[in-house]
Amino acid sequence: MKNNKMTYLRYLLTGAMILSIIAGGLVTGCKKEEETYYTAKGVMIEADEDGHVSEYPGTSQTEETGPTGVSDGTEETCLFYEGKKYQYSYSGFYPKLPEGFEKIGTIEEVDKTELIEKDFCATGPDMKVGMAVYAAEKYPGHLYVEYVTGDVVSYMAFYTLE
């Protein structure tokens, strides 16, 4: 009987503690901030405080699509520079350019079907002529490409295995 009273008391105290935490959150107006996520195709999506997901305006979903609903051309996003093929890392878009990276040029040509082996030529659904390309001596196998959507600037990471 004594054991039942202790168990009941523990439940009562735990419940009171949970209620006070919830009430404290309601009183102070605490809420979860919106979070932004990135899909493998570089499309930004946002999740609100309730977990509802919506597409970030102006992402690559506006590409023309073929009869299957997939954009025409290659799905691989690549860039050619100094005799090497750089592949998009699919790690999302970065809000800031890493320290040490400097502008080395801009995308000069985009072919949706294959990668042209000429400096600053690219392929992929998110690549556009005029996008800035950045490199750093400290990181020879990495490039970043500036991606601008409206007034949002972010950076796509590329790497080479060569």
Side-chain angles (χ1 to χ4, degrees):
M1 177 111 167
K2 190 174 190 180
N3 196 17
N4 287 341
K5 285 183 181 179
M6 292 301 287
T7 303
Y8 176 75
L9 186 58
R10 276 191 220 133
Y11 286 134
L12 185 62
L13 289 174
T14 302
M17 186 170 57
I18 290 171
L19 284 174
S20 68
I21 290 171
I22 292 171
L26 293 174
V27 170
T28 60
C30 295
K31 69 176 190 174
K32 193 174 177 186
E33 291 183 28
E34 286 189 0
E35 297 180 34
T36 301
Y37 301 93
Y38 305 92
T39 68
K41 286 191 172 190
V43 177
M44 292 182 272
I45 57 175
E46 292 183 337
D48 65 15
E49 62 188 50
D50 298 322
H52 299 102
V53 176
S54 62
E55 183 180 326
Y56 191 81
T59 61
S60 66
Q61 290 296 310
T62 58
E63 291 288 326
E64 294 178 23
T65 58
T68 61
V70 177
S71 64
D72 293 334
T74 182
E75 290 298 314
E76 186 176 38
T77 302
C78 298
L79 171 65
F80 197 81
Y81 178 67
E82 291 188 336
K84 297 176 185 172
K85 175 183 173 181
Y86 287 79
Q87 296 177 303
Y88 175 52
S89 68
Y90 293 100
S91 59
F93 291 10
Y94 297 88
K96 292 182 181 177
L97 188 63
E99 194 172 311
F101 280 80
E102 296 179 6
K103 185 175 178 180
I104 57 170
T106 59
I107 302 292
E108 295 176 4
E109 190 172 346
V110 176
D111 188 314
K112 290 192 177 224
T113 58
E114 63 183 280
L115 180 63
I116 299 169
E117 293 187 359
K118 188 171 105 180
D119 283 357
F120 300 108
C121 288
T123 187
D126 292 316
M127 303 305 284
K128 294 179 181 33
V129 172
M131 296 172 92
V133 180
Y134 298 84
E137 287 184 33
K138 188 176 178 181
Y139 305 102
H142 295 80
L143 295 176
Y144 281 87
V145 174
E146 186 176 74
Y147 188 83
V148 180
T149 305
D151 60 347
V152 177
V153 177
S154 53
Y155 300 90
M156 301 168 65
F158 287 75
Y159 66 93
T160 186
L161 300 175
E162 297 176 27

